[in-house]
Amino acid sequence: MIYLNNGHILRIGIDWSLLTNRIESTLRMLDTPEVVQPLKPYLRFRNPANRIIAMPSFVGGDTEISGIKWIASFPGNVALGKPRAHSTIVLNDPADGVPIAILVGGVLSELRTAAVSAVMLRHYFALERRRSYKVGIIGWGPIGRRHMKMLLALYGDRLDGVRLFDLKGIDSSSLDSRMQAMTRIASDWQEVYRNSDIVFTCTSSATRFIDELPPPGSLLMNISLREYLPESLHALKTIVVDNWQEVCRENTDIELLHTQTGLTEADTVTLRDVVYGGALKGVAASEPIFFSPMGMAAFDMTLAAYYWREAERLGIGVRLEG
C-alpha cells in the first residue's frame, strides 16, 4: 500500500473547484446503492469529553473506493498545545478488500469540511441575494483558516470584507497580504455576527454562546455544530443538513432544536435537496438559512480516493510492503 502524510497531500495541491465538484458528484449518488455509510459509532472511555469516531463508507461511480476514517477528538489537547483532532484514513480496494492506502487525515479533513461548505456557498450565491457579501469567521483555528483560503480561491470576487474573531486573539501575521487587505479583526463575536451576511462558526467552544437571532437574509455556516442557544434559532424556517440521522445526536444544535423545540427531519432539507432539488430557490431573500453539516464519511472517502490516485500517478508517497 501507499502512505500519504499531510506534506504529500499539499505537494499534490489543492484545486478547490475540482474538490467541490467531486463532493457534488458524491451527493448525486446518495440514497442509491452506490453510497453506503453506516451510522458512525463513537468510542468513549474514561473522560466522556473525549471521543474517537469510526467513519466507514463505500462510494461507487467514478470514485470507486471503500475505506474508513478513524478520528480522535480530545478537546483538552488545545490547552496542552496539541491539535484537538487527529485522524487516519485507510482505503481498501472495493473489488477484493485489499488495503491500498493509508493517509494522515489532518489536511484531508480540513479540505473535506471546506469543500462541503463550498458546495453550499455555490448554491447560496446562485440566489443572487446581494452583489457582494460581508463574511464573518468565528474561530481562527485550522478549520477557520482553511475556509478563508477556500473563500478567497473560489469566491474572492464576491466578498465585501471579512471579519474575524477568536477568543484567544488573532495574530495579524497569520494573515497573508491578500487576507490583510480585506480583513478586520473584531473585538468580540457579536461584532462579527451582527455585521456579516455569511457567518462561519469554527470554534472548539465547550459551551454555546450565540444568543441572538440571525441577521435577516444571512447564511449561518454552523461548522462546529455546538455554538447556538436554541432561542436564537427557534424561528428559522430553512435548515439544511447533510444527514439528519447523523446530525440529530451527540448534543448538536440540531439535536437541541429537536428535543427543545420539536424540530423534525421533515422540517429540514438536505444538501442534496439544495444541489439537485433547488431547495433554496423559493426561500425569501430576507429569510436566514442555517447550514449544519455533521460530516459524512462518503465525502472523506471521495477526496481521499482522489489524492490516492493522484499520488500513484505522480509517484508521490511512501510505498509500504506487507
Side-chain angles (χ1 to χ4, degrees):
M1 67 171 69
I2 193 171
Y3 166 77
L4 300 176
N5 61 27
N6 288 331
H8 296 133
I9 299 300
L10 293 173
R11 183 178 165 193
I12 293 168
I14 302 168
D15 182 336
W16 284 110
S17 293
L18 182 149
L19 299 182
T20 304
N21 289 340
R22 287 190 174 271
I23 296 294
E24 286 203 353
S25 295
T26 299
L27 269 174
R28 183 183 290 277
M29 295 186 292
L30 287 184
D31 301 321
T32 78
E34 291 302 293
V35 172
V36 179
Q37 49 179 8
L39 197 67
K40 308 171 195 173
Y42 284 63
L43 175 65
R44 286 190 169 90
F45 50 92
R46 295 177 179 161
N47 184 349
N50 301 330
R51 59 190 183 271
I52 309 180
I53 310 168
M55 300 173 61
S57 181
F58 161 75
V59 182
D62 294 337
T63 297
E64 194 59 23
I65 203 70
S66 55
I68 188 168
K69 178 178 176 180
W70 181 239
I71 178 166
S73 177
F74 282 53
N77 281 359
V78 176
L80 301 174
K82 301 177 184 179
R84 176 186 60 82
H86 294 83
S87 63
T88 303
I89 296 173
V90 178
L91 299 181
N92 299 74
D93 188 328
D96 55 18
V98 172
I100 51 179
I102 182 168
L103 304 92
V104 174
V107 169
L108 276 173
S109 291
E110 295 171 17
L111 297 181
R112 181 268 289 166
T113 304
V116 171
S117 294
V119 171
M120 183 66 190
L121 289 170
R122 174 184 286 177
H123 294 271
Y124 177 74
F125 286 141
L127 300 176
E128 298 290 348
R129 289 186 164 190
R130 297 172 177 83
R131 291 179 178 272
S132 59
Y133 298 80
K134 296 180 174 65
V135 170
I137 301 177
I138 301 172
W140 193 238
I143 297 296
R145 297 182 191 196
R146 191 65 67 183
H147 273 85
M148 180 72 160
K149 292 177 181 178
M150 176 273 290
L151 282 163
L152 292 176
L154 290 179
Y155 306 116
D157 60 338
R158 307 296 300 269
L159 306 185
D160 180 20
V162 180
R163 280 181 166 84
L164 306 177
F165 173 74
D166 192 287
L167 193 61
K168 295 180 292 185
I170 297 174
D171 184 349
S172 61
S173 66
S174 66
L175 309 175
D176 63 29
S177 57
R178 189 180 180 195
M179 291 180 189
Q180 290 180 359
M182 64 169 58
T183 299
R184 170 189 175 95
I185 298 175
S187 58
D188 53 37
W189 70 264
Q190 290 92 338
E191 178 186 342
V192 174
Y193 190 70
R194 295 167 185 170
N195 294 282
S196 299
D197 304 311
I198 303 172
V199 180
F200 292 86
T201 46
C202 305
T203 82
S204 56
S205 174
T207 58
R208 291 173 168 82
F209 58 91
I210 297 179
D211 56 1
E212 299 184 6
L213 295 176
S218 60
L219 172 62
L220 307 181
M221 301 287 286
N222 187 30
I223 307 305
S224 40
L225 296 168
R226 301 168 183 89
E227 312 285 357
Y228 291 83
L229 293 165
E231 54 265 32
S232 67
L233 301 173
H234 74 278
L236 282 172
K237 297 179 181 177
T238 305
I239 296 176
V240 183
V241 300
D242 50 5
N243 181 285
W244 172 265
Q245 284 72 32
E246 287 286 7
V247 78
C248 188
R249 62 188 186 127
E250 292 294 328
N251 192 38
T252 63
D253 295 335
I254 294 294
E255 185 183 31
L256 257 64
L257 287 173
H258 172 61
T259 58
Q260 296 188 17
T261 73
L263 182 77
T264 68
E265 182 176 5
D267 300 317
T268 66
V269 297
T270 66
L271 185 57
R272 188 179 190 278
D273 295 330
V274 169
V275 175
Y276 294 108
L280 299 182
K281 291 181 179 178
V283 178
S286 61
E287 186 178 320
I289 297 171
F290 186 68
F291 179 48
S292 192
M294 189 66 152
M296 296 206 296
F299 297 152
D300 288 290
M301 296 309 113
T302 294
L303 298 196
Y306 164 72
Y307 278 99
W308 161 63
R309 290 192 172 96
E310 282 296 284
E312 294 281 13
R313 182 177 70 84
L314 298 170
I316 292 174
V318 178
R319 187 67 55 181
L320 304 177
E321 300 297 334

